[in-house]
Amino acid sequence: MFTFPAIFSAAGDILLVYAPETEKKLRNLQIKSHPSDKDVGKHRSGSEESVHRSRMQQSPQILTTLPGHKASVNCTHWLPSSKFAFKAKHLDRHYLLSGDTDGVIILWELSTNSNNQWRHVLQLPRSHKKGVTCITAFMCSETDAMFASGSSDGVVNVWDVSFPSQPSEECKVSCLDSISADSKAIVTLSLAELPQNPGRFTLAMGGLDNKIKLYCGERTGKFTSVCELKGHTDWIRSLDFSLPLHSTDEPTNSIMLVSSSQDKVIRIWKLVLVGDVGSWQREITLASYIEGPVFDSGRFTYQVSVESVLIGHEDWVYSVEWQPPVDCHQPLSILSASMDKTMMIWRPEKKTGVWVNVVCVGELSHCALGFYGGHWSPDGVSILAHGYGGSFHLWRNVSSSKEFENWQMQKVPSGHFAAVTDITWARTGEYLLSVSHDQTTRVFSSWKSDEENEHWHELARPQVHGHDINCVAIVQGKGNHRFVSGAEEKVVRVFEAPLSFLKTLKHTCAGGEGSFPEDLQADVQVLGANMSALGLSQKPIYLHSSSEPLERNGGGEGLETFETVPEAAPVELKEPPIEDQLAFHTLWPESHKLYGHGNELFSLCCDHNGTLVASSCKAQSAAMAEIWLWEVGTWKAVGRLQSHSLTVTHLEFSYDDTLLLSVSRDRHFSVFSIQRTDDGDVSHKLMAKVEAHKRIIWACSWNPYGHQFATSSRDKTVKIWSIEKDAHVKQVLALPQFGSSVTAVAWTGLDQKEKSGCIAVGMESGLIELWNIKIKETEEEGTTATAALALRLEPLMCHVSAVNRLAWRPTESNQSLLRLTSCGDDNCVRVFDFKF
């Protein structure tokens, strides 16, 4: 039996669905996929990105992941979206469109009547030769919709979709038209029904030529170009049509289109029905030069004019969006998000009708990349932005007055936005530490709450680096929390927990006093750390030099200019930190740099007594493949172990710290004897070197109850080995061959008397399996082992790409509840609970 308490990610290649855990109906569920590159397709992130908010103000949680795409997901769109929620109040099935960089579009179904089950409905016929960059849709009725998809080769396809009215029926999707709109990429689309003209639609397109192209067509007919809207002077980034504008003294004969561009300007265009075809003529006046183009569609004539030009942002405006309607009524309210790291809400003044900025959230900053998109919650009470670094920023209007708005920042899920390369648990399991190619080290922990459910949050971001980080190891033993990390550089860096983190740790579910009591915290004189604008080292902030109060519920807002990184203000946090706090105020100071390796670091491990750290780097020769031993405390090099000829991919000390196991790309494993002499020196000796597999060996793991270990390889096998009394190494078992390369393995003990344990196996396909293993030792036969498959995790719970590392949480022997964490190339860190 197992549960699945948490996933942390901000991936570009999978879909993350967010919803509070207490909400039963996911009518307004929203979804997001993050960009991780700077090309046009990936800059246009998920077109429907928002957090579904419950009235109980529960923290948003990741609900599920949807594996299916084989390339990075560029855009997503709900059917119905929050704009058309009033047309689908009684639907028990909702649909999601997702497009990727291979040109594939997938339709998903969410059934709210069957315990919120997700289903892969179909993959649309391959119609785009290049990546899908944007999707827009219009709900014609509860069972019919139109949507358009744009790609980076300038092609736009218009589709018709019919939803089933009976549970036994399936969705029907057909392509209505294919438009070669441009030779360059289409960045944004918006689809609307023309006023007073049922069955006729207008499609707005924006791209790299600074123009907005309008096309018109029927529900079942072809779309033709009718006009171009000129005014922007740079790439068009976002378009959004409003619903028909209602008025008491005139019919609904107009809609509005809002556009944003890299020219930092927002333009509002008004599309008005001016009369029947042939009955309206333009008067030649001075005003006619600014009234805009006129076009015919069906039996009506329409005119497009500029309603307003909004200037306020200091950088590229990446998204604009009308506030979702309430009971068919379109609020005159626009949300914009910009690279200047602000979001603004624009509304017309009641007396003059002039559009003005009424709300501005975020920080006007040039020290980091800003927002790539902003979205309303369905009720208009919350707004959400997302940034390049995979970060969410959520604000909620907490004011009870309609006259006064008070937008407060809220907690949101966070995670890595590139491949997660290594993970490790704190020495007593209070938190887990992960490193990634997004150049950050992150601490995750469950947080105390009044509810029974466990809520996981990012607790700190100890390291923000300038290189991709490959490996990490927690320094075991007594004393303050420390870890070592290795990146795409030749230096091993040592970090030590500041006082602000130690005090914050008390508020997590696991606490923190067991491993570092409060009476010893008085010896810690470092409150936090600062990062210089162009440096890689994190400088300490000493307790006596800080004028900030130590206890505070929120994060500090350090002084900031456009040219510098904000001054850190580390404090004790009594609730989970928000993104701005994590980015600047939770750094750990760097205490030492360890020089010696000639290439980029690849693997690290620490012994269980906290006295030695072993490290390896990328290698193409025996000289570069040396394993270095470092003494904890003095941090001097005390040994250089030679055995391998290529990169050592994984290192691990035995649980009694007398042996060091290494595996390598050269298909060998090596076992070293590690001894302490009477005068405190470290001696080492190569005990065995065995060519164990036919391909690269990726990982290894020791048996907690003996000198047996497991190795896993690209040859799709996991083998169990034992070190006999005569120091001879023999193979005692080979698990059945797996379906793909085995990239991670982790061994934990179940019963010490019976010498039974469990081996977790992670594969290149992202799947994870658990195997029960039992060791038996006799004088006649020596060591023997038996194994049986205990559990094969469902694909929806696993990674969608290679598993890079598995790690069991440290526990006492004979515990029935075990916790496993995994990380992978899909940018995820996952935490599983198992009951044996």
Side-chain angles (χ1 to χ4, degrees):
M1 180 180 180
F2 62 92
T3 57
F4 194 22
I7 311 172
F8 307 106
S9 177
D13 53 355
I14 60 172
L15 305 179
L16 307 181
V17 185
Y18 293 83
E21 294 179 349
T22 57
E23 190 68 39
K24 294 182 180 179
K25 291 187 178 180
L26 304 180
R27 184 168 54 229
N28 299 318
L29 187 71
Q30 301 294 315
I31 194 163
K32 170 73 177 70
S33 76
H34 278 273
S36 58
D37 224 323
K38 285 193 174 183
D39 60 78
V40 172
K42 292 184 180 178
H43 261 198
R44 177 60 176 173
S45 184
S47 59
E48 288 293 329
E49 174 213 1
S50 171
V51 172
H52 174 61
R53 185 187 58 85
S54 70
R55 295 181 180 178
M56 300 300 292
Q57 295 179 244
Q58 296 295 331
S59 296
Q61 299 292 322
I62 298 171
L63 181 67
T64 191
T65 59
L66 306 179
H69 285 281
K70 296 181 180 179
S72 296
V73 178
N74 277 344
C75 51
T76 57
H77 197 93
W78 280 101
L79 293 173
S81 64
S82 54
K83 181 187 291 188
F84 300 102
F86 66 91
K87 289 188 176 182
K89 292 182 178 180
H90 306 294
L91 286 183
D92 56 5
R93 281 184 283 187
H94 298 259
Y95 297 89
L96 178 73
L97 291 163
S98 58
D100 67 23
T101 54
D102 281 347
V104 172
I105 300 175
I106 295 178
L107 180 66
W108 311 83
E109 180 188 86
L110 169 65
S111 177
T112 57
N113 282 347
S114 57
N115 198 24
N116 301 326
Q117 292 294 317
W118 281 90
R119 185 172 68 93
H120 180 291
V121 179
L122 57 88
Q123 179 176 314
L124 271 64
R126 191 71 171 268
S127 57
H128 290 292
K129 295 180 181 179
K130 291 193 176 181
V132 180
T133 55
C134 50
I135 298 175
T136 185
F138 185 91
M139 289 293 296
C140 303
S141 66
E142 284 193 357
T143 57
D144 293 289
M146 288 179 64
F147 69 91
S149 58
S151 70
S152 55
D153 59 3
V155 175
V156 176
N157 291 329
V158 183
W159 307 79
D160 178 80
V161 56
S162 297
F163 304 123
S165 56
Q166 300 294 330
S168 58
E169 299 177 356
E170 289 291 339
C171 289
K172 297 179 181 179
V173 180
S174 59
C175 186
L176 300 177
D177 197 7
S178 183
I179 308 167
S180 295
D182 202 333
S183 59
K184 299 178 182 179
I186 297 297
V187 179
T188 179
L189 296 168
S190 188
L191 185 64
E193 190 174 49
L194 288 168
Q196 304 294 320
N197 207 343
R200 288 191 172 269
F201 297 86
T202 179
L203 177 63
M205 309 176 188
L208 313 187
D209 61 358
N210 312 342
K211 302 173 186 177
I212 301 171
K213 300 178 178 64
L214 285 188
Y215 283 71
C216 287
E218 296 185 48
R219 171 78 190 277
T220 58
K222 298 293 183 180
F223 277 71
T224 57
S225 177
V226 293
C227 67
E228 291 183 346
L229 307 181
K230 301 177 181 179
H232 288 293
T233 58
D234 210 332
W235 293 5
I236 310 299
R237 278 295 172 185
S238 182
L239 296 168
D240 191 29
F241 275 113
S242 70
L243 291 178
L245 303 177
H246 290 267
S247 177
T248 56
D249 41 352
E250 65 179 21
T252 58
N253 63 350
S254 65
I255 57 175
M256 285 189 178
L257 171 68
V258 60
S259 63
S260 68
S261 166
Q262 290 184 184
D263 61 9
K264 311 176 187 178
V265 174
I266 301 167
R267 289 177 176 265
I268 303 175
W269 312 80
K270 193 170 186 177
L271 191 154
V272 184
L273 187 157
V274 293
D276 294 336
V277 172
S279 66
W280 181 85
Q281 292 184 347
R282 184 194 295 270
E283 296 180 6
I284 306 302
T285 63
L286 182 63
S288 65
Y289 288 98
I290 60 174
E291 285 178 349
V294 176
F295 64 89
D296 297 333
S297 182
R299 60 188 184 89
F300 293 116
T301 299
Y302 298 89
Q303 184 178 40
V304 184
S305 59
V306 177
E307 172 76 6
S308 185
V309 178
L310 310 182
I311 300 175
H313 285 293
E314 299 291 330
D315 211 330
W316 299 353
V317 184
Y318 257 88
S319 80
V320 282
E321 186 178 277
W322 289 96
Q323 182 176 336
V326 180
D327 296 330
C328 306
H329 175 68
Q330 174 66 66
L332 292 180
S333 184
I334 296 171
L335 176 68
S336 63
S338 168
M339 285 295 287
D340 64 11
K341 215 175 179 182
T342 64
M343 282 202 300
M344 295 182 179
I345 297 177
W346 306 81
R347 297 190 185 108
E349 288 186 333
K350 293 182 179 180
K351 293 183 179 180
T352 64
V354 176
W355 286 78
V356 294
N357 169 26
V358 295
V359 173
C360 181
V361 296
E363 297 179 359
L364 187 62
S365 168
H366 292 175
C367 72
L369 292 174
F371 297 146
Y372 281 74
H375 299 274
W376 293 93
S377 64
D379 56 8
V381 178
S382 298
I383 54 177
L384 180 76
H386 64 93
Y388 172 76
S391 58
F392 286 120
H393 306 259
L394 176 67
W395 287 269
R396 182 175 181 272
N397 182 14
V398 297
S399 174
S400 57
S401 170
K402 294 183 178 180
E403 302 296 328
F404 175 74
E405 296 182 46
N406 182 16
W407 294 85
Q408 296 292 327
M409 206 164 191
Q410 306 293 309
K411 297 184 291 291
V412 288
S414 62
H416 293 286
F417 64 99
V420 186
T421 49
D422 202 0
I423 47 172
T424 183
W425 286 95
R427 52 201 175 197
T428 55
E430 309 100 305
Y431 57 86
L432 62 90
L433 193 71
S434 62
V435 295
S436 167
H437 283 169
D438 67 7
Q439 304 182 352
T440 64
T441 301
R442 306 189 187 217
V443 172
F444 295 102
S445 180
S446 54
W447 201 272
K448 291 179 181 177
S449 67
D450 297 332
E451 304 171 8
E452 294 182 0
N453 293 330
E454 203 173 13
H455 293 277
W456 284 77
H457 297 273
E458 186 177 347
L459 189 62
R461 205 166 292 170
Q463 183 183 10
V464 178
H465 204 36
H467 297 287
D468 295 356
I469 306 176
N470 293 329
C471 50
V472 68
I474 289 282
V475 177
Q476 305 294 328
K478 299 179 180 179
N480 195 3
H481 296 262
R482 290 174 291 183
F483 73 88
V484 291
S485 69
E488 294 287 339
E489 57 177 349
K490 304 173 184 179
V491 183
V492 180
R493 298 178 184 267
V494 185
F495 297 85
E496 187 165 339
L499 188 59
S500 58
F501 175 82
L502 298 175
K503 290 186 174 292
T504 298
L505 199 59
K506 296 186 302 182
H507 303 289
T508 63
C509 288
E513 307 228 351
S515 61
F516 195 53
E518 191 168 353
D519 57 345
L520 298 180
Q521 295 180 13
D523 296 332
V524 180
Q525 297 299 313
V526 177
L527 184 61
N530 259 325
M531 172 64 76
S532 57
L534 298 177
L536 294 176
S537 298
Q538 296 169 189
K539 306 299 183 182
I541 300 174
Y542 291 98
L543 186 61
H544 62 268
S545 64
S546 174
S547 59
E548 287 285 330
L550 188 57
E551 295 187 6
R552 200 166 88 190
N553 287 331
E557 298 179 0
L559 296 177
E560 176 186 352
T561 69
F562 287 150
E563 312 301 332
T564 61
V565 173
E567 192 74 18
V571 292
E572 175 185 353
L573 300 171
K574 296 182 179 178
E575 58 183 21
I578 57 178
E579 177 62 29
D580 287 351
Q581 293 169 312
L582 290 167
F584 300 111
H585 308 309
T586 60
L587 294 171
W588 290 19
E590 183 181 309
S591 60
H592 294 84
K593 296 183 183 71
L594 311 182
Y595 297 94
H597 286 290
N599 287 327
E600 297 90 344
L601 270 296
F602 199 85
S603 183
L604 285 166
C605 73
C606 180
D607 68 0
H608 298 80
N609 288 326
T611 59
L612 290 176
V613 168
S615 62
S616 69
C617 70
K618 294 181 180 179
Q620 294 292 331
S621 64
M624 287 293 101
E626 286 182 330
I627 300 167
W628 286 59
L629 293 181
W630 310 88
E631 185 177 48
V632 174
T634 64
W635 297 110
K636 294 180 179 179
V638 294
R640 296 168 66 173
L641 286 58
Q642 295 181 343
S643 175
H644 296 285
S645 58
L646 293 175
T647 304
V648 174
T649 56
H650 198 195
L651 297 162
E652 189 168 308
F653 283 95
S654 62
Y655 280 76
D656 59 6
D657 291 336
T658 60
L659 300 173
L660 174 63
L661 173 64
S662 62
V663 295
S664 169
R665 288 181 178 269
D666 62 13
R667 307 175 185 180
H668 291 74
F669 69 75
S670 298
V671 180
F672 298 90
S673 172
I674 308 295
Q675 300 293 334
R676 284 275 186 179
T677 61
D678 294 337
D679 55 0
D681 294 334
V682 177
S683 64
H684 52 83
K685 177 184 177 182
L686 178 62
M687 287 180 55
K689 180 180 179 180
V690 177
E691 185 173 358
H693 292 269
K694 297 178 181 179
R695 303 292 297 275
I696 294 171
I697 306 177
W698 282 124
C700 59
S701 185
W702 284 98
N703 176 12
Y705 302 143
H707 283 176
Q708 295 81 35
F709 59 89
T711 58
S712 65
S713 167
R714 184 179 281 175
D715 64 10
K716 305 179 183 179
T717 63
V718 173
K719 296 181 180 181
I720 311 299
W721 308 80
S722 177
I723 301 177
E724 301 299 283
K725 293 181 180 179
D726 58 355
H728 170 69
V729 178
K730 77 169 186 176
Q731 180 182 331
V732 296
L733 184 66
L735 298 185
Q737 192 169 35
F738 293 89
S740 63
S741 171
V742 183
T743 53
V745 65
W747 194 331
T748 187
L750 295 179
D751 192 310
Q752 188 166 6
K753 291 182 179 179
E754 297 184 359
K755 294 187 178 180
S756 63
C758 180
I759 295 179
V761 177
M763 286 167 266
E764 193 174 36
S765 61
L767 299 179
I768 298 174
E769 295 183 4
L770 298 186
W771 287 76
N772 285 330
I773 187 165
K774 193 170 184 179
I775 301 296
K776 185 177 180 180
E777 294 177 331
T778 61
E779 291 290 339
E780 298 80 11
E781 300 181 6
T783 304
T784 58
T786 57
L789 178 64
L791 182 66
R792 182 177 288 118
L793 270 65
E794 293 292 332
L796 282 175
M797 292 188 173
C798 298
H799 296 269
V800 296
S801 54
V803 179
N804 288 329
R805 190 73 74 222
L806 294 165
W808 292 97
R809 180 184 180 184
T811 57
E812 297 179 0
S813 181
N814 302 330
Q815 282 199 353
S816 60
L817 180 64
L818 297 178
R819 176 160 288 177
L820 174 72
T821 184
S822 64
C823 68
D825 282 344
D826 60 359
N827 313 355
C828 276
V829 176
R830 295 172 179 260
V831 184
F832 304 89
D833 280 346
F834 300 94
K835 291 182 180 180
F836 287 87

